[in-house]
Each structure stands twice: as C-alpha cells, then as structure tokens.
Amino acid sequence: MVYDAIVIGSGISGGWAAKELCEKGLKTLLLERGRDVKHGDYPTALLKPWEFADRLLTTQKDLQDQPVQSQACDPGSKHFFVNDNDHPYVQDSPFAWIRGYQVGGRSLVWGRQCYRWSDLDFEANLRDGFGVDWPIRYKDIAPWYTYVEKFIGVSGQSDGLPQLPDGAFLSPMQLNCIENHLKESIRNKNEERLLTIARVANLTSPIGSRGSCLNRNLCSRGCPFGAYFSSNSSTIPAALATGNLTLRPFSVVSEIIYDDTTRRAKGVRVIDMLTMQHYEFAARIIFVNASTIGSTSILLNSKSARFPDGLGNDSGALGHNLMDHHSAAGASGQHEGFQDSYYKGRRPCGFLIPRYRNINNGDEKLDFVRGYNIQGDGERAEWPDRMYESDETGADFKARLTTPGKWSVWMAGWGECLPYHDNKVYLSKTKKDKWGQPLVHIDFSFGENEKKMMEDIRNTCGEMLTEAGFKNIDTFIYHKSGGLTVHEMGTARMGRDPKTSVLNANNQIHNVKNVFVTDGSCMTSSACQNPSLTYMALTARAAAYAVDQLKKGEL
Ligand SMILES: Cc1cc2nc3c(=O)[nH]c(=O)nc-3n(C[C@H](O)[C@H](O)[C@H](O)COP(=O)(O)OP(=O)(O)OC[C@H]3O[C@@H](n4cnc5c(N)ncnc54)[C@H](O)[C@@H]3O)c2cc1C
Ligand code: SF4
C-alpha cells in the first residue's frame, strides 16, 4: 500500500503534522519509535508523595539508568524519558540530549510556555550577519500562530509589545503579591521592562472534552483532564477521529528512501523495535518530525548516489548550526514584607519579563547581540522548602514547618544562542546502537556572545531584586551544558539559498520536494522565546502547503 503521507515521530510537531494531514483527507501513517501511550495512561498523575516507593527522591538506580535524563525529570515523570543506557550517544563536548521516546514524545513533559516570535527575531540574522536570512517573516506565520493557539489553548495576558506579539489567549493566570510588587518596582525604574504572567498551554476554560486546569502543577506526569496540550490529549485524538490515521508504535525509522528516477523520496525503512524485523513503507509525501537531533540523524543516514552526505545535504549545512537556549544565569532573593498574604493552589507557570535588550537598533551599546527574556517565579516558602532548615523533630518543629516562610523570587534569563557552524551533530562511522543504527555525535559549546549575555542577565536580575527591596540576594551563573534548556534546534535550517540551507520557506527539502522537515531542526536562528509554538505553527503551515501542492499534482 502507498500511503498519502508518512509522519516520522509523534511528539509536539509530529502530532500536528498527523492531525493536519488527516483532517485534509490524507491516509497517513504515523511512525513512532517508542511505545504507545494512550491519553489517560499516566500512572503517577494522581499519586501522593508518600505513595512513591522512594518518596519522590531520585535514587542511585535512577542516576545509573538515566544519568543524562535525570537532569530534566523526577521520579514522578521519569517513565516518560529514555533510559540512557539503551539509547547511547557520543558527547564530543558535554551536551544533555533530553528525550522522550513514546507516543506523544516530549509533549507529555514539556513546560508548556508558548511565545510568538516577531520580526525582531525573523530579521535578526539579516541585520547582524550571524547565520543566513530566514526565508519567512512574521506575517507569513502570524495566522498559523492564531490557528495553533486556538486549538491547543494558551492562557496569557495581551501586553501590546512589538517584540512579543499577543496571541489568541484564554484568560491569564494571576500574578501573586510578590510578583506584582516586583513588577511595579521594575516598571518604576525601567519603563521598557514589563513583568507579566507566563503564557502557557494550560486551559483556563475548557476546550471540547479537555477540562480546565486545576492548578496542581503536576503536568509532567500527564494530565488525566487533558488540561494542558499534549499530542496524546489533543492532536492524535483529532487525527484518529478522521479515520485516516494509522499509528505504528515501536517503529524506528532508519532512513528515507530516495528514488533517482522521480527525484522524490518514495518511502522509509523501519526497524520494529521489538522484533528487529525490517520493513519498508511507501508514501507520496513525508513529514520528518523525530525532533531536531533525531530528524537530522535520519536525514544524515539516508545516503544515496545523489545524496552521498545525507538526504538533501547539497549545502553541507545538515547537522551544523546546532543551537540551544541558555538558562544558566539569574538571581534569587527573599522579601520580608507581605507576611499577611498567602495564596492557595499551585499555579502551573511563573512570570515572564519579555526581552528588553537590543530591541532599539543596538542603542544600548551592549557587548553582545540579540537578547533574552527572564522567566521566574515568586512564592512563599512552604514546609517542603523548610524541612531542611533543621534536623529537629517534635511538635515545635512541626508547628514551625507548617507556618509559611518568607516570600522569595527566583528568576533566570532564557537567552538566544547564535548559529555556529562548529556546533554540530554527525553520525559515528564505527559505533552502533542495538538496532544497528550509527550513534549520534554531538559537539556543542556556547560562544562568547552567550557568555557575555549571561553576565548581563546575572547583573540585571540582581539589580532588579535589589531595587525591589529583596534581601539575601544570590546572583548566579550555573555551569550548565548545552541541551539542558531542551530547546535544541537548527541542524537542517530553512533559508533562501540552497547552497547554504537545507529547507525552503515551506520547510521542503530544497531538492527533494516531497520531504518536509518541520521540527526544531528547521530553525534558522533561535530567538529567546521557548520554541515549540513556532514548530507547531510552521508544521500546520507546511501541511497546508503540502496538501495544496499534492492536489495541484506538483508533488
Ligand atoms: C522538561 C521539558 C520542559 C520543556 N518546556 C518547554 C516549554 O515550556 N516551551 C517550549 O516551547 N518547549 C519546551 N520544551 C521543549 C519541547 O518539549 C520540544 O521543543 C518539543 O517537544 C519538540 O517537539 P518535536 O516534535 O520536535 O519532538 P518530540 O516532542 O521530542 O517528539 C519526537 C518524537 O519522535 C520520535 N522519534 C525519534 N526518532 C525516531 C525515529 N528514528 N523513528 C520514529 N520515531 C522517532 C520520538 O520517540 C518522539 O516521540 C521542554 C522540554 C522538556 C523536556
Ligand atoms: S496543573 Fe492543570 S494541566 Fe497540569 S496536571 Fe494539573 S490539572 Fe492538569
């Protein structure tokens, strides 16, 4: 059978590709290397801390099984992250490759922060000369942001900022008193800096069968109410409802098969993860959504006489320009006021201070280009925060523990990373995994621009807290490796020129028109906003284009 479409990977972007293609009438095969996870199959979602064997503490066994992943997961969510021993890779330099191999991918565990990009971002490469120019601008993607936001549900505040366009928001979550205090203080000193509530894909009112968020802040365990967006709760059910979707878990795609005669891809090779059987599946179009590094490794592994260095790699850009945001610098502090204020519930998001650096043509004369936003959280210490204050026991200690502590704020900068050619992924010539696939090498480090930006973040965060009357201020730059912000992107970039980029303005491989790559690998620069909303919008846009081209007989 020849499918109309194959989608590789069922995470945030692959779920969107499957939904859009199925809803447009295409018989679609969704290939996912991990196990199936049906919506509701969230075994830890409703467990209390004392119902976990190890009381939610990371054990030595966890560290042995997941030395990399345990930097991003906890015992409540670890089953949605890979076992690092089963899925090795080679770190030429330290890089945490955080992965979730299952139906839904990392959509089950993501932080749900959703921010649009603006032309400040789409024009950045052209303006300062780092990387190649994006082949699209904000106007090309704006309607697709709206389309995606309406389906996934994004709660947020409209702020009217040109550098962070507003979206089609559900009602926002609320700032608490310490965050409002910090907001006022920052605004009084710097009019261009705005502290606002985070924009998150958590529902503040129901959408269809998905219920409103109950403010449990346990989202990384899966939400039985479907109150945050995941492929499992949202896009995959929508795709299945069309009757056009065939979902095949345990299907490791090893390569895309290129047909020299038609100059198109004709299908994919798959290894069944359980039986080790090899299969081929054919389709008219292929969407590659195996996550940035996963997709890039499939393309690099897809060699033919026409493409000896990997499918669509005429430019040599495939695998290069790996980016990840840095989120290592910031500050925290305590405030002695507001002792008569408290709140109930656990809001599943913090606050955001949108980018305020380098937004006015470099007037500020900073020693770095691009910018960062600040993400943070204000809270009053509760008993779990206080239990390490003393090793006492007894009624007095219990009474003290259950008395709320001081208010505090923690905040850090999510900073743009430039596209550097030397930051790259490539395939091992000798080492293989248990499915016979070449291991991925990752070679990544942050450059001088990112390091100077981190210093600016640390200093300005410290200043903002000092000016707002915080005490015990700790300013920091952690030594975090790349990968830990989990926004890896850029290794099959879009561009105007096939000599310097892999994909065109519609996410099509320049010289293999029926292959579309719409996950983070397509990104030409990283901006500083959390990127998944942009992956979803680009995916929906590319799917509409692909179906239109199919109908016109162009593919
Ligand atoms: C803890 C955490 C917090 C995050 N917070 C945010 C946030 O707040 N905002 C934000 O924008 N982003 C956030 N992210 C990042 C976000 O999760 C990713 O950007 C997003 O999931 C990428 O979508 P994707 O479709 O490219 O990949 P994924 O969601 O990772 O899905 C890829 C899928 O492809 C499958 N796959 C891989 N290789 C193959 C193969 N060879 N064959 C078949 N299938 C394959 C995988 O098993 C997986 O299911 C966070 C991530 C983590 C881990
Ligand atoms: S905080 Fe809201 S979205 Fe998250 S798991 Fe709880 S109810 Fe679901």
Side-chain angles (χ1 to χ4, degrees):
M1 166 178 182
V2 178
Y3 288 91
D4 294 325
I6 285 175
V7 177
I8 308 171
S10 64
I12 288 188
S13 64
W16 262 95
K19 166 181 136 47
E20 292 301 296
L21 297 170
C22 286
E23 287 181 344
K24 288 173 177 23
L26 271 56
K27 293 287 176 200
T28 302
L29 175 64
L30 176 55
L31 294 166
E32 165 54 51
R33 69 176 295 156
R35 67 191 167 97
D36 196 7
V37 175
K38 298 255 187 296
H39 178 47
D41 180 10
Y42 311 133
T44 57
L46 299 174
L47 294 187
K48 312 273 189 312
W50 52 90
E51 292 174 317
F52 286 84
D54 295 295
R55 299 292 187 271
L56 278 176
L57 297 173
T58 300
T59 63
Q60 282 304 319
K61 170 122 182 28
D62 294 337
L63 295 175
Q64 278 161 14
D65 291 347
Q66 297 180 303
V68 176
Q69 311 303 314
S70 59
Q71 298 172 85
C73 64
D74 64 29
S77 62
K78 64 184 179 187
H79 48 289
F80 292 142
F81 291 79
V82 299
N83 181 313
D84 289 308
N85 303 317
D86 290 338
H87 302 283
Y89 65 105
V90 185
Q91 301 181 55
D92 292 358
S93 47
F95 187 93
W97 185 15
I98 305 296
R99 288 165 287 168
Y101 287 168
Q102 63 258 326
V103 168
R106 291 175 293 179
S107 75
L108 283 165
V109 297
W110 71 312
R112 309 160 311 281
Q113 307 263 336
C114 285
Y115 302 109
R116 292 186 178 203
W117 288 30
S118 72
D119 274 337
L120 182 67
D121 308 304
F122 288 112
E123 290 170 1
N125 285 6
L126 182 64
R127 197 166 42 242
D128 60 31
F130 290 98
V132 298
D133 188 18
W134 275 89
I136 58 168
R137 291 293 183 261
Y138 181 66
K139 67 174 171 37
D140 299 308
I141 193 172
W144 297 101
Y145 277 136
T146 307
Y147 179 73
V148 168
E149 286 158 351
K150 284 187 174 159
F151 180 81
I152 69 175
V154 179
S155 72
Q157 176 78 47
S158 293
D159 295 310
L161 299 173
Q163 73 271 33
L164 190 74
D166 295 328
F169 296 140
L170 303 174
S171 58
M173 309 247 172
Q174 299 299 310
L175 296 173
N176 60 39
C177 63
I178 198 71
E179 294 166 343
N180 272 317
H181 166 71
L182 182 60
K183 171 181 175 157
E184 288 309 311
S185 165
I186 292 173
R187 207 63 201 250
N188 289 340
K189 302 275 176 202
N190 296 283
E191 220 179 47
E192 77 288 0
R193 291 186 202 172
L194 173 74
L195 188 153
T196 187
I197 190 72
R199 300 171 179 179
V200 279
N202 287 73
L203 302 186
T204 45
S205 44
I207 294 184
S209 61
R210 298 172 53 209
S212 284
C213 176
L214 303 180
N215 286 308
R216 307 169 339 122
N217 196 17
L218 294 175
C219 311
S220 61
R221 300 182 189 178
C223 181
F225 323 109
Y228 74 86
F229 168 79
S230 66
S231 302
N232 313 61
S233 68
S234 308
T235 43
I236 293 176
L240 284 168
T242 64
N244 288 327
L245 184 73
T246 305
L247 170 61
R248 192 177 199 286
F250 296 120
S251 302
V252 183
V253 175
S254 58
E255 63 182 292
I256 298 169
I257 309 163
Y258 179 72
D259 182 343
D260 239 341
T261 327
T262 58
R263 289 184 291 150
R264 300 279 189 268
K266 64 177 181 186
V268 300
R269 292 206 169 90
V270 165
I271 304 157
D272 187 294
M273 209 170 191
L274 301 177
T275 65
M276 299 299 211
Q277 294 278 336
H278 288 227
Y279 298 92
E280 285 187 13
F281 295 102
R284 296 160 74 198
I285 58 171
I286 296 171
F287 268 67
V288 191
N289 297 94
S291 80
T292 296
I293 298 173
S295 291
T296 304
S297 55
I298 293 169
L299 295 172
L300 285 168
N301 203 33
S302 305
K303 293 182 179 162
S304 58
R306 166 68 183 84
F307 293 109
D309 300 319
L311 190 73
N313 194 14
D314 289 336
S315 61
L318 186 63
H320 292 273
N321 305 298
L322 176 64
M323 298 171 274
D324 181 30
H325 292 141
H326 54 88
S327 55
S332 64
Q334 290 180 325
H335 202 284
E336 282 166 0
F338 306 99
Q339 289 296 302
D340 55 351
S341 296
Y342 198 66
Y343 62 89
K344 271 174 92 91
R346 287 172 289 181
R347 194 186 59 195
C349 71
F351 64 75
L352 178 88
I353 305 174
R355 178 172 160 186
Y356 51 84
R357 289 301 201 203
N358 289 325
I359 53 176
N360 295 317
N361 298 320
D363 287 353
E364 297 159 279
K365 305 267 179 293
L366 297 165
D367 60 357
F368 59 88
V369 296
R370 317 282 174 110
Y372 55 84
N373 62 49
I374 304 287
Q375 302 189 15
D377 183 32
E379 60 182 24
R380 208 166 166 186
E382 291 182 59
W383 69 265
D385 310 303
R386 309 191 69 193
M387 64 186 176
Y388 300 108
E389 284 176 9
S390 159
D391 54 9
E392 298 167 62
T393 52
D396 287 353
F397 182 52
K398 188 175 169 191
R400 262 207 328 280
L401 270 187
T402 47
T403 309
K406 288 182 184 160
W407 285 96
S408 67
V409 160
W410 177 95
M411 58 191 195
W414 266 234
E416 177 155 6
C417 170
L418 294 174
Y420 301 107
H421 184 79
D422 287 348
N423 282 343
K424 59 185 179 297
V425 303
Y426 62 98
L427 299 182
S428 171
K429 293 199 168 73
T430 51
K431 295 183 190 134
K432 299 199 164 160
D433 67 13
K434 56 171 125 168
W435 297 277
Q437 298 310 296
L439 294 197
V440 175
H441 280 253
I442 306 181
D443 188 0
F444 177 93
S445 54
F446 289 116
E448 283 309 303
N449 197 64
E450 289 77 43
K451 288 177 187 158
K452 286 177 180 158
M453 201 187 286
M454 287 182 210
E455 284 181 19
D456 189 65
I457 294 168
R458 177 182 58 187
N459 297 339
T460 48
C461 284
E463 280 162 23
M464 288 190 276
L465 290 181
T466 306
E467 285 161 0
F470 283 75
K471 301 276 184 306
N472 300 328
I473 294 172
D474 176 29
T475 61
F476 53 79
I477 298 182
Y478 303 134
H479 295 287
K480 278 169 91 169
S481 70
L484 282 173
T485 313
V486 208
H487 294 164
E488 71 285 354
M489 57 181 122
T491 43
R493 68 185 175 193
M494 295 165 77
R496 296 172 190 273
D497 185 351
K499 292 199 194 69
T500 55
S501 59
V502 181
L503 309 171
N504 68 14
N506 291 305
N507 296 74
Q508 245 171 331
I509 293 188
H510 284 296
N511 289 317
V512 192
K513 297 285 184 218
N514 67 338
V515 178
F516 295 79
V517 185
T518 67
D519 57 23
S521 48
C522 74
M523 303 295 275
T524 314
S525 67
S526 71
C528 63
Q529 296 89 319
N530 306 53
S532 305
L533 180 72
T534 300
Y535 305 166
M536 293 188 248
L538 287 172
T539 302
R541 178 174 176 270
Y545 174 81
V547 173
D548 179 62
Q549 292 293 295
L550 262 185
K551 284 188 182 147
K552 289 180 180 154
E554 300 285 334
L555 290 180

